[in-house]
Amino acid sequence: GTVLKSPNIPKINGVNLQFSFLSQSGFRYTVLSRTNLVSGHWVTNSSLLGDDTLKLLSLPHTNSQEFFRIQAN
């Protein structure tokens, strides 16, 4: 399988959470989040195609606590 390199450390920029990761051609990346790490449904925030470039994501920061994951398919 493919191992996704760790995303860069996220930062708050105004009302948005920003982070980046290096994408790989041939993969679709789905960014998911939820407010409880242990339970609840993961919600899709973004979906994009890899192209061997650094992807910068900016997502609304709406909760005081939120967990994210990136799936590569």
Side-chain angles (χ1 to χ4, degrees), residues 21-25 49-55:
F21 66 94
L22 184 59
S23 69
Q24 184 177 344
S25 291
L49 289 174
D51 58 4
D52 295 326
T53 64
L54 188 67
K55 298 296 184 183

Side-chain angles (χ1 to χ4, degrees), residues 13-63:
N13 185 3
V15 297
N16 293 319
L17 173 70
Q18 293 183 330
F19 61 94
S20 60
F21 66 94
L22 184 59
S23 69
Q24 184 177 344
S25 291
F27 288 90
R28 173 168 293 281
Y29 295 90
T30 305
V31 180
L32 304 133
S33 68
R34 66 182 182 190
T35 57
N36 186 310
L37 185 59
V38 179
S39 65
H41 296 284
W42 288 97
V43 176
T44 299
N45 294 99
S46 180
S47 182
L48 50 108
L49 289 174
D51 58 4
D52 295 326
T53 64
L54 188 67
K55 298 296 184 183
L56 174 64
L57 294 165
S58 184
L59 302 170
H61 177 58
T62 56
N63 296 299

